[in-house]
Amino acid sequence: MNLIKSRWPFLVLAVAAIGYVAQFYRVEGLDKLRIKRKPGTLHADGESSSIVGATSSWFGEDPATGVSGSSLFDISTIASRERDEPTNSHSAKLLTKTVPSNPPPNLRPLRVGSFSLMTANNAVTLRDEKTFQVFVQICSRFDVLALQELSPRDAAALPAIVASIHDGGSSFDYLLGPAVGREGNIAQMAFLFNTNRLESDQDHLYCVDDPDNLLLRKPLVGWFRAKESPSHQAFTFTLVSVAVNPNSRFEEVRLIPELAKSILIDGRREDDIIFVGDFQSSERQLLDLRSLGWQTAISDLATTVRGDRMLDNMLIHSGVTREFNGRAGVIDFIREFNLTLQEAEALSSHLPIGAEFSPLEFVGQATH
């Protein structure tokens, strides 16, 4: 008994040390153990301490499928989202992670992404061959990629971008929306998509009507269907590309539920509606939408090349779109392509974001 009493302080210290290592480090390997620091997290105010470790690239080999060139997003933050204590009155309605449908092993998940080409000081994007090739490689990693803040030069380059992806062995096409915005602040949006994996109804491409000018950029709406699944089981979805005005972000974000209702009755009556783009908001600033069933795919990750802010995200209605498999993240192209900060910001001040979805339609009762 005396021996136990004399050693209990050391036991407490040992338990505390183990808890610290478990919280901030992970142990890797079997024959040769390695301890590596876990990815960084955002501060409470939604800003990241550093881009290093705060983002996860979408490169390498997927351990689930063994497919090279398709490493997984960092999903370590998904579980932490469910543990977060909300800071508003909707805490009792905080959503839990949905259980996804599981496609057969030969069907790869669909990769849905977004990339805002907003640049620092409105620099010209795709200005040289290096920037162009980096952008082409980024686009080719997605099955459908929503693009925001396209300048006239960017829009004119889309055929060349598609042709370059074709040269790499993939088949892509694009859907270009009209110029949106107000005088002196005009841009376009577009969807780039892999025609081997997705088909789209080009006649269903449109911008949301905004007669009262409540939005700086009218969202671009496109419809897609998985091609590799049996037609009666294929996942179909409406993708809504948004670019929120930073000067009225709170007012515009509050309109998301109303936008979803109007899109739901646009004639196609597609119930899987995915909002993606630049929300000018951190995950916590989108928290009010959870009480209405909307969950954010990106959690605790910076989405700027400087690693200092979360601006971009994807909103998925958890009661309807059960095809989301829980994997989501960013592509840190500044590190992957060994760019300087100036070179990266010449392409965009944002990082591309994305999430994975089952190519098979989940069969269940909709709760939109």
Side-chain angles (χ1 to χ4, degrees):
M1 181 65 71
N2 291 334
L3 181 62
I4 294 176
K5 288 182 177 179
S6 63
R7 290 186 177 179
W8 75 264
F10 300 100
L11 293 175
V12 172
L13 289 175
V15 171
I18 293 172
Y20 177 84
V21 171
Q23 182 178 2
F24 295 103
Y25 295 86
R26 62 175 179 262
V27 179
E28 296 184 347
L30 293 175
D31 55 336
K32 295 181 181 180
L33 293 179
R34 300 186 301 278
I35 297 178
K36 298 181 69 176
R37 188 169 183 85
K38 288 184 176 180
T41 57
L42 298 184
H43 296 306
D45 60 0
E47 298 200 351
S48 173
S49 57
S50 170
I51 196 170
V52 179
T55 59
S56 176
S57 61
W58 202 358
F59 295 75
E61 182 174 285
D62 185 331
T65 64
V67 177
S68 180
S70 59
S71 72
L72 301 178
F73 289 120
D74 181 1
I75 60 170
S76 60
T77 57
I78 298 294
S80 67
R81 181 193 320 138
E82 298 169 11
R83 295 193 304 266
D84 285 344
E85 289 297 330
T87 56
N88 65 3
S89 59
H90 302 307
S91 58
K93 299 181 180 180
L94 184 64
L95 297 176
T96 58
K97 184 178 174 182
T98 61
V99 178
S101 56
N102 295 314
N106 61 327
L107 287 181
R108 290 189 295 112
L110 293 172
R111 291 172 171 175
V112 179
S114 174
F115 194 14
S116 171
L117 296 185
M118 176 67 72
T119 56
N121 302 319
N122 295 317
V124 177
T125 58
L126 307 179
R127 63 182 181 181
D128 55 36
E129 183 63 21
K130 182 176 182 179
T131 304
F132 181 88
Q133 290 303 326
V134 168
F135 184 61
V136 167
Q137 291 193 51
I138 290 171
C139 294
S140 67
R141 308 269 168 91
F142 295 90
D143 293 310
V144 58
L145 181 64
L147 300 172
Q148 301 90 31
E149 301 302 326
L150 290 169
S151 68
R153 179 172 176 172
D154 298 330
L158 286 175
I161 293 167
V162 167
S164 294
I165 298 176
H166 285 185
D167 291 341
S170 298
S171 178
F172 270 68
D173 201 354
Y174 69 91
L175 302 171
L176 180 63
V180 291
R182 296 167 192 155
E183 186 175 353
N185 193 353
I186 302 294
Q188 288 177 268
M189 300 186 192
F191 296 117
L192 278 172
F193 65 102
N194 186 336
T195 58
N196 290 329
R197 306 212 65 210
L198 289 169
E199 60 183 342
S200 178
D201 181 358
Q202 299 196 22
D203 293 334
H204 197 67
L205 181 75
Y206 67 92
C207 281
V208 174
D209 192 22
D210 180 23
D212 296 323
N213 289 321
L214 301 176
L215 305 168
L216 176 62
R217 303 264 192 266
K218 296 179 181 179
L220 182 65
V221 181
W223 180 85
F224 299 90
R225 175 167 53 198
K227 292 180 68 174
E228 297 169 319
S229 306
S231 59
H232 65 286
Q233 294 179 306
F235 177 41
T236 62
F237 59 97
T238 293
L239 195 59
V240 186
S241 181
V242 301
V244 168
N245 182 1
N247 297 323
S248 56
R249 61 180 181 178
F250 297 111
E251 293 79 5
E252 291 196 14
V253 165
R254 290 193 191 103
L255 294 174
I256 295 294
E258 291 302 316
L259 288 171
K261 289 179 182 178
S262 65
I263 294 169
L264 185 64
I265 58 173
D266 65 0
R268 186 172 284 280
R269 299 195 66 82
E270 173 62 59
D271 61 347
D272 290 303
I273 301 173
I274 303 169
F275 287 87
V276 65
D278 178 8
F279 292 90
Q280 287 290 314
S281 304
S282 68
E283 180 193 12
R284 289 188 177 275
Q285 291 167 334
L286 297 173
L287 195 61
D288 284 347
L289 294 176
R290 288 192 186 183
S291 65
L292 301 176
W294 296 94
Q295 69 177 101
T296 54
I298 308 299
S299 177
D300 293 337
L301 292 175
T303 66
T304 61
V305 296
R306 292 180 178 266
D308 56 354
R309 301 180 69 190
M310 173 186 277
L311 299 176
D312 309 85
N313 220 312
M314 185 178 298
L315 287 173
I316 305 158
H317 199 285
S318 59
V320 179
T321 307
R322 306 289 294 277
E323 292 79 8
F324 175 45
N325 70 9
R327 299 189 186 279
V330 302
I331 294 180
D332 184 3
F333 66 89
I334 187 171
R335 288 195 297 170
E336 294 295 341
F337 295 97
N338 195 27
L339 304 178
T340 66
L341 181 61
Q342 290 70 29
E343 288 174 328
E345 289 189 328
L347 175 56
S348 177
S349 58
H350 294 242
L351 296 174
I353 68 164
E356 294 182 350
F357 295 80
S358 166
L360 295 177
E361 188 83 35
F362 180 88
V363 179
Q365 185 176 3
T367 60
H368 214 311

